[in-house]
């Protein structure tokens, strides 16, 4: 009863926001038909457009927006529908996420995509669960997102897998016996990955957590140097990663930095440009994996100034963008399989959906998690300001 009351209260708050204008990114209600006269099916986009995860959220949304531009309609039960993306900014915080989730519930969407950031996905998940609305996580990797929530699915690998990949790489590449792990205090994504890394690493692990809004990481990197560690693992947001990488460059740090999928960003890459920083990240996609997709989205970015800005100012393709693109098409497959725009029918169809995307083959296990066994390790080519593929790793 408490959960139902909490959902009702959150929905009232969301409707109040909508009455006051709502999100500037949310399209106006068109009465159920598009300009072409086709009926409309709405897909909710539950992503951070602001806050620490805003840059990553915008890049993830770019993939969905490009896919929607490329394929703006879908045939459902013999009828052609125009697909409308409906946005709700979860603000990168767990306190704003439930309201954003409830806003999407109130917008008559058939299913939801997102979020970038595991913490907000976990915070919004119960709202989708209570409303009977399926959500497809795109790059939110914490195992707890789908655990106990029948309505949350995901198309990315999980943190326990990602941590094992990075541990294996640290051992294979650097013969690492001592690691320094640094994450944001209270951040489910950071701390979850660090916990899995520690569990899988058979050497010594030194851990530190920094408070939210930290802007000086010198104490932490100085400690890593003093401890004479072999690698530094920092699975943090783009906002913090850029600061850490810039500081490492200014210190001429010779300890390799290992990052998770959040560090696969052109903004983080630019922070290392022209330096001797050794930066390696695990991720979902590497440019060249689908030349047709690469060429198409780069052309779009270069002709759309807003999209280019949201991508950090250049046309380097982030893996989260490729994942957002694939997530959109998985959503279309779910709608087609359901033969209906009804959220209950879409949820019932999702477990059986498969799709061959630019990031690989996508299918779901009994938990609703993606069946994935491969991760890409990329390194920063600091001389050419580009990501270079270091290796492809699988875990049995």
């Amino acid at each position: 009863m408490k959960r139902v009351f909490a959902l009702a209260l959150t929905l009232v708050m969301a409707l109040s926001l909508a009455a006051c204008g709502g999100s500037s990114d949310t399209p106006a209600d068109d009465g159920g038909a598009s300009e072409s006269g086709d009926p409309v099916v709405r897909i909710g986009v539950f992503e951070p457009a602001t806050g620490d995860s805003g840059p990553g959220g915008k890049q993830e949304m770019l993939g969905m927006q490009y896919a929607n531009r490329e394929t703006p309609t879908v045939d459902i039960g013999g009828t052609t529908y125009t697909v409308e993306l409906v946005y709700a900014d979860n603000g990168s915080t767990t306190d704003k996420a439930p309201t954003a989730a409830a806003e999407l519930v109130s917008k008559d969407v058939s299913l939801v995509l997102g979020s970038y950031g595991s913490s907000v996905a976990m915070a919004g998940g119960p709202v989708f669960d209570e409303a009977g609305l399926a959500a497809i996580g795109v790059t939110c990797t914490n195992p707890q997102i789908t655990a106990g929530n029948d309505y949350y699915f995901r198309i990315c690998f999980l943190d326990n897998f990602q941590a094992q990949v990075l541990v294996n790489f640290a051992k294979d590449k650097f013969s690492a016996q001592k690691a320094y792990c640094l994450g944001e205090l209270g951040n489910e994504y950071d701390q979850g990955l660090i916990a899995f890394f520690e569990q899988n690493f058979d050497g010594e692990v030194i851990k530190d957590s920094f408070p939210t809004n930290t802007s000086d990481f010198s104490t932490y990197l100085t400690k890593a140097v003093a401890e004479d560690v072999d690698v530094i693992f920092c699975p943090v947001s783009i906002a913090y990663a850029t600061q850490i990488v810039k500081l490492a460059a200014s210190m001429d740090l010779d300890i390799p930095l290992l990052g998770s999928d959040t560090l696969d960003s052109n903004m983080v890459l630019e922070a290392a440009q022209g330096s001797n920083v050794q930066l390696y990240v695990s991720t979902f996609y590497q440019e060249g994996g689908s030349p047709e997709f690469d060429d198409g989205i780069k052309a779009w970015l270069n002709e759309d100034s807003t999209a280019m800005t949201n991508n950090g100012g250049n046309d380097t393709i982030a893996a989260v963008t490729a994942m957002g693109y694939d997530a959109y098409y998985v959503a279309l497959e779910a709608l087609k399989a359901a033969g209906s725009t009804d959220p209950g029918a879409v949820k019932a169809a999702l477990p059986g959906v498969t799709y061959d995307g630019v990031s690989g083959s996508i299918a779901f296990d009994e938990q609703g998690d993606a069946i994935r066994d491969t991760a890409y390790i990329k390194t920063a080519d600091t001389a050419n300001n580009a990501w270079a593929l270091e290796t492809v790793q699988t875990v049995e």
Side-chain angles (χ1 to χ4, degrees):
M1 181 61 70
K2 289 181 180 179
R3 293 179 69 193
V4 173
F5 175 76
L7 174 61
L9 180 60
T10 308
L11 278 167
V12 169
M13 292 171 62
L15 288 168
S16 297
L17 287 171
C20 295
S23 169
S24 61
D25 290 326
T26 303
D29 192 332
D30 59 10
S34 65
E35 291 181 2
S36 66
D38 291 336
V40 171
V41 59
R42 295 177 174 86
I43 297 176
V45 178
F46 178 62
E47 293 283 2
T50 57
D52 287 342
S53 295
K58 289 177 180 177
Q59 288 185 314
E60 193 159 289
M61 285 188 280
L62 284 173
M64 303 171 197
Q65 291 159 350
Y66 174 63
N68 181 242
R69 179 179 183 269
E70 183 179 72
T71 309
T73 64
V74 60
D75 290 332
I76 305 172
T79 300
T80 298
Y81 285 75
T82 294
V83 183
E84 180 181 295
L85 297 178
V86 180
Y87 302 89
D89 177 13
N90 60 45
S92 307
T93 65
T94 55
D95 59 329
K96 294 179 180 178
T99 301
E103 182 180 344
L104 291 176
V105 171
S106 73
K107 294 291 186 180
D108 193 31
V109 299
S110 295
L111 74 167
V112 170
L113 301 179
S115 175
Y116 179 98
S118 293
S119 297
V120 288
M122 282 187 275
V127 177
F128 299 134
D129 190 2
E130 290 282 4
L133 182 64
I136 302 174
V138 184
T139 61
C140 44
T141 50
N142 191 297
Q144 294 304 310
I145 291 165
T146 54
N149 189 330
D150 291 338
Y151 283 84
Y152 232 120
F153 296 75
R154 85 178 99 209
I155 65 166
C156 59
F157 52 60
L158 276 64
D159 282 339
N160 48 350
F161 168 83
Q162 182 171 206
Q164 182 66 70
V165 162
L166 288 163
V167 165
N168 292 350
F169 178 71
K171 292 289 186 180
D172 295 344
K173 178 76 173 181
F174 304 110
S175 302
Q177 295 297 319
K178 192 173 184 179
Y180 180 71
C181 296
L182 180 63
E184 182 184 6
L185 183 66
N187 187 302
E188 297 279 359
Y189 173 81
D190 300 22
Q191 299 303 327
L193 260 169
I194 287 171
F196 284 123
F197 187 94
E198 184 178 22
Q199 289 172 18
N200 288 289
F201 192 76
D202 59 8
E204 182 181 355
V205 173
I206 300 167
K207 298 184 294 183
D208 272 322
S209 297
F210 59 85
T212 300
N213 297 324
T214 294
S215 59
D216 183 358
F217 292 88
S218 56
T219 300
Y220 302 104
L221 293 190
T222 299
K223 178 178 177 179
V225 172
E227 293 284 354
D228 193 26
V229 300
D230 299 310
V231 293
I232 297 172
F233 178 46
C234 50
V236 298
S237 71
I238 293 173
Y240 294 127
T242 54
Q243 296 178 64
I244 292 170
V245 171
K246 285 179 181 177
L247 178 61
S250 69
M251 293 172 59
D252 201 22
L253 188 72
D254 62 359
I255 304 171
L257 296 175
L258 305 184
S260 56
D261 57 277
T262 51
L263 275 73
D264 178 21
S265 164
N266 48 1
M267 287 164 271
V268 178
L269 182 63
E270 288 175 357
Q273 186 175 5
S275 73
N276 294 320
V277 168
Q278 302 173 68
L279 175 62
Y280 301 87
V281 302
S282 58
T283 192
F284 314 103
Y285 180 78
Q286 165 69 358
E287 279 194 36
S290 173
E292 182 180 358
F293 165 73
D294 292 353
D295 292 344
I297 197 165
K298 281 178 178 287
W300 174 60
L301 289 170
N302 282 285
E303 70 186 28
D304 188 316
S305 60
T306 300
M308 183 70 87
T309 298
N310 288 340
N311 197 49
N314 63 39
D315 64 3
T316 299
I317 301 171
V320 295
T321 302
M323 294 293 282
Y325 179 86
D326 278 352
Y328 177 86
Y329 282 104
V330 170
L332 296 194
E333 290 300 312
L335 289 164
K336 289 189 285 187
S340 169
T341 62
D342 175 69
V346 175
K347 188 271 176 183
L350 255 174
V353 167
T354 60
Y355 179 70
D356 289 329
V358 299
S359 66
S361 297
I362 297 169
F364 300 107
D365 64 17
E366 293 182 356
Q367 187 67 50
D369 291 323
I371 302 170
R372 295 264 187 172
D373 64 356
T374 302
Y376 299 89
I377 303 289
K378 300 197 289 196
T379 185
D381 178 350
T382 59
N384 296 302
N385 193 34
W387 290 112
L389 182 63
E390 176 75 16
T391 186
V392 178
Q393 286 219 345
T394 60
V395 175
E396 297 294 335

